[in-house]
Structures are given as structure tokens and as C-alpha cells.
């Protein structure tokens, strides 16, 4: 049997997350710009007598492994099964023990579960010697979740459809961020449901799914000052509605000297755009001094699981 295969996949943030009205299938159309951060989970797929999932972390203060299911609900396990069913042959596929080494906070709006699924797809494809094309893996990824295709690609990308249709975008990076995880996660479906309620009641005016050209231009130029006004997240209002303390956490970034605050995806992780690594270190220290400890520094773009 072949040796174990380990593959890394990045956290994602949405520089812009424009959300349209809910579709009949329950998903929301998105116009988003993804950026992959150098905050990585790794997945190791090892030949085994039976299927299993083990979840570990070297950073227990920010990753609550108890929140990650190890049964069939685990998205990495679903990815391995889907690959086996769709692209495997009886000769190639054998059970795998998946070990998830997590650095990405759980239920934080950073798509950690999607990263694990993307890494599991690539790791199992290599372990089983399937040689699937990138296109085939991207198609499987889209069936696993809205953010899984981007976790395969990494870098930066325009995201359309419900997020699963990804088109790479050029970035003159790195872009530096202070990242403030929240000890308690938020449920993505609950944030989208609250978006529907607030939008239906006219209590929020979403920016919508059209992505301004200036955003891609600012990204291509690596121009932090030009990028800042384009940082918009239509899920911020519903996330703050569900977790009012987020308003103060976001605002604390200004006092700490960040260029601009941004809620990550459906939250509750808060992001603060900075001009350099040293600046991001200062913002993390300023947040801690203001009663918001536990921040870290990350940069993007970084490659996806396909690399
Ligand atoms: O695609 P994924 O499984 O990650 O989505 C999780 C949940 O988030 C969906 O079941 C849905 O409630 C919500 N969602 C949405 N519109 C999107 C993406 C996700 O409503 N574009």
C-alpha cells in the first residue's frame, strides 16, 4: 500500500461579500471576491483497515476540536467518499484514516471545513493514484459546499453563483491582516436566515452581487488604500444583529490603527486590513490592550490545495 499523503488548504476571507435575495433552492446568489490566507489546515490520508476521522490542533486556544464532527457529517470524510464513488475504481480505492490538523478556527467564517474538504479531495486523489484533473476536482468540490472550489484554487478569485463558480484574479501581494477569532462560532445558515428577515423587513440595504471593477484593479495593484473602500460584507448587519458585541470588536480596529475592519464571511472572525506585517503586529497588540486578546497576523494570497 502507498504511504500517507498530507495536503494543506488555506482559510478564506471575502474582500467583498455581496448577497442577493434568497433563491428557491435556499441558497443566496453571491458576488464575492475571495482571498486565501496563510492560515492553513492540513489533512493526512493514510491507508487503513477502516474509514476514520481524527481531529487535532496545535492551537487549542483558538480551535475547538470538539466542535468538529468525526462521523459522516465531517466534510473531509464526505469529500473522500464522494471522490471514491465518482472517480475511484474498486481496485484503487481502499479505506483511509483522515487526520485533520486544524489551525483555522471552527465556525469562524473562514471556511475551515471547506479547506479540510478540499485538502481531503487532493490527498485521497494522490493516495489512490486516481490522477483526477483539476476540473474534475473543482466539480466535485462544488457539490460539497460553496467555498470548497476556492479552497482548491487559493490565491484570489471572483466567486459567483452561490460562491462555487470561481475565476482567478491577479493580486500584487502580500496583503496583511490582523485576524481576531471569536471563541464562540456563528452558524452560517442562521446568519443567512437573519439576512433574509432583515432584508425582507427593509432593515438592511445589501450592496448586492455586482462586483465593482475598481476592486479587481486595487487588488491587481496591491494598493491597500484603494482597496479599503471596497471592503463590504452584506452579512455584517445580520451577524451583528445576532451577536451585537461584534459591532464593538469591529470598531476597535480603528482605535488600534487598522486601515479598515471587515467581518469575515458569516462571522464571527473580525479582520483588519493593515499596510505591512509590522503594522498588523501593532494592530493585534492594540486590540489586546483594548480588551480583545487572541488576535493573529495573516497574509494573502496563498495557494490552494491544488497548488
Ligand atoms: O454551501 P455550504 O454548505 O457551505 O452552505 C452552508 C449554508 O449556508 C447553506 O445551507 C445555506 O443555508 C447558506 N448559504 C446560502 N447561500 C450561499 C452560501 C451558503 O444561503 N451562497
Amino acid at each position: 500500500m502507498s504511504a500517507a499523503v498530507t495536503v494543506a488548504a488555506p482559510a478564506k476571507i471575502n474582500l467583498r461579500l455581496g448577497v442577493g435575495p434568497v433563491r428557491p433552492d435556499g441558497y443566496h446568489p453571491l458576488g464575492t471576491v475571495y482571498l486565501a490566507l496563510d492560515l492553513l489546515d492540513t489533512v493526512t490520508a493514510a491507508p487503513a483497515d477502516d474509514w476514520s476521522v481524527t481531529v487535532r490542533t496545535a492551537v487549542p486556544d483558538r480551535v475547538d476540536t470538539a466542535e468538529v464532527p468525526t462521523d459522516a457529517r465531517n466534510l473531509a470524510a464526505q469529500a473522500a467518499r464522494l471522490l471514491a464513488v465518482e472517480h475511484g475504481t474498486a481496485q484503487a480505492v481502499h479505506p483511509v484514516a483522515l487526520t485533520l490538523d486544524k489551525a483555522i478556527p471552527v465556525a469562524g467564517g473562514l471556511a475551515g471545513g471547506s479547506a479540510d474538504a478540499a485538502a481531503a479531495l487532493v490527498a485521497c486523489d494522490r493516495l489512490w493514484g486516481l490522477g483526477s484533473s483539476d476540473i474534475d476536482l473543482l466539480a466535485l468540490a462544488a457539490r460539497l459546499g460553496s467555498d470548497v472550489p476556492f479552497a482548491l484554487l487559493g490565491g484570489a478569485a471572483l466567486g459567483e453563483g452561490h460562491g462555487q463558480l470561481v475565476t482567478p484574479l491577479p493580486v500584487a501581494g502580500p496583503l496583511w491582516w490582523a485576524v481576531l477569532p471569536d471563541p464562540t462560532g456563528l452558524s452560517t445558515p442562521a446568519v443567512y436566515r437573519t439576512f433574509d428577515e432583515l432584508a425582507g423587513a427593509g432593515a438592511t440595504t445589501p450592496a448586492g452581487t455586482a462586483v465593482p471593477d475598481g476592486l479587481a484593479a486595487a487588488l491587481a495593484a496591491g494598493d491597500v488604500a484603494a482597496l479599503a473602500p471596497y471592503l463590504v460584507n452584506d452579512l455584517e448587519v445580520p451577524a451583528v444583529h445576532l451577536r451585537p458585541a461584534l459591532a464593538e470588536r469591529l470598531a476597535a480596529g480603528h482605535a488600534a490603527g487598522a486601515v479598515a475592519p471587515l467581518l469575515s464571511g458569516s462571522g464571527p472572525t473580525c479582520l483588519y486590513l493593515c499596510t505591512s506585517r509590522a503594522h498588523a503586529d501593532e494592530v493585534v497588540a492594540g486590540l489586546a490592550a483594548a480588551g480583545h486578546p487572541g488576535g493573529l497576523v495573516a497574509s494573502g494570497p496563498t495557494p490552494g490545495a491544488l497548488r
Side-chain angles (χ1 to χ4, degrees), residues 17 19 22-23 25-30 75 114 142-148 161-164 187-190 192-193 196:
L17 183 50
V19 181
V22 64
R23 305 188 314 209
D25 67 0
Y27 279 91
H28 295 72
L30 301 184
L75 205 54
S114 301
R143 290 166 57 186
L144 290 161
S146 308
D147 295 327
V148 184
H162 55 86
Q164 88 285 16
S187 151
T188 299
Y192 274 105
R193 272 198 304 278
D196 295 339

